[in-house]
Amino acid sequence: DAGVTQSPTHLIKTRGQQVTLRCSPKSGHDTVSWYQQALGQGPQFIFQYYEEEERQRGNFPDRFSGHQFPNYSSELNVNALLLGDSALYLCASSLRGGSGNTIYFGEGSWLTVV
Amino acid sequence: AQSVSQHNHHVILSEAASLELGCNYSYGGTVNLFWYVQYPGQHLQLLLKYFSGDPLVKGIKGFEAEFIKSKFSFNLRKPSVQWSDTAEYFCAVNSGGGFKTIFGAGTRLFVKA
């Protein structure tokens, strides 16, 4: 049973560039959430996707956008990268995204902006 | 707004010592509470969770946590830690009906052999 998989695992981008991160949810899960984890901090909620729509969003600017595909996989896009966007980006999946459902995390994508 | 506070950022213990990590949250309604652990080089894993019922919940590897509603707390405990418990521990809360899970800043535990 495949867990949550993310790609790429590491990447380096230049300020002003754009990046796309990808996530495949755990088998049987239909809801994907994205988190940003800066060094020394806990994961910060970016947004959640369910039925191909953004269902809730955290305090992140519009430069952060996402998409969910019919097979439940998801992408996170960040435009106009800033140095402060350097972080570990975590994808988490759950079933129907209800508050009572446990979320399962992938290993993350390390983004470094130089 | 919801928030989660973890009292200790770094904890150092010797093997066999008892562990208690503090966690307080701010939210007045129904909550679901979690402790996640991140071992070195690994992804976040669920340690235990509380949704309803018995406020003392037991998780994997001998960990337990107690939900005290009046104190808005969900402290993690283990009677006797092992070197393999060295990891970062995150407390998290999800409000009933909400979609996002809020995490604390984490507590780094180092257990000396």
Side-chain angles (χ1 to χ4, degrees), chain B:
Chain B
Q2 296 177 26
S3 66
V4 178
S5 297
Q6 293 184 238
H7 309 310
N8 309 98
H9 293 295
H10 294 90
V11 173
I12 301 174
L13 295 173
S14 298
E15 275 195 314
S18 63
L19 170 72
E20 180 160 3
L21 301 182
C23 172
N24 285 91
Y25 65 92
S26 64
Y27 184 73
T30 302
V31 292
N32 301 306
L33 298 157
F34 307 84
W35 276 96
Y36 282 84
V37 60
Q38 188 167 30
Y39 297 104
Q42 298 187 27
H43 62 280
L44 280 163
Q45 304 171 38
L46 181 69
L47 203 53
L48 49 78
K49 61 186 178 183
Y50 171 81
F51 289 166
S52 63
D54 189 345
L56 184 63
V57 293
K58 296 189 183 298
I60 60 172
K61 303 185 180 184
F63 286 91
E64 65 178 31
E66 184 176 13
F67 170 50
I68 303 179
K69 188 175 181 180
S70 61
K71 295 184 177 180
F72 298 91
S73 70
F74 190 56
N75 292 353
L76 180 70
R77 300 194 293 249
K78 186 171 183 179
S80 176
V81 295
Q82 301 173 319
W83 176 81
S84 58
D85 293 324
T86 294
E88 189 158 19
Y89 293 80
F90 294 93
C91 180
V93 62
N94 185 311
S95 64
F99 303 124
K100 64 180 180 180
T101 300
I102 306 298
F103 286 79
T107 297
R108 289 198 171 189
L109 171 66
F110 179 73
V111 180
K112 298 183 291 185

Side-chain angles (χ1 to χ4, degrees), chain A residues 61-73:
Chain A
D62 292 344
R63 298 187 297 108
F64 289 76
S65 63
H67 189 79
Q68 185 179 35
F69 299 93
N71 66 353
Y72 308 123
S73 67

Side-chain angles (χ1 to χ4, degrees), chain A residues 25-47:
Chain A
K26 181 178 169 65
S27 179
H29 285 182
D30 57 8
T31 302
V32 172
S33 302
W34 286 93
Y35 289 80
Q36 180 195 67
Q37 186 177 14
L39 280 176
Q41 297 183 23
Q44 302 292 314
F45 178 81
I46 302 176
F47 41 54

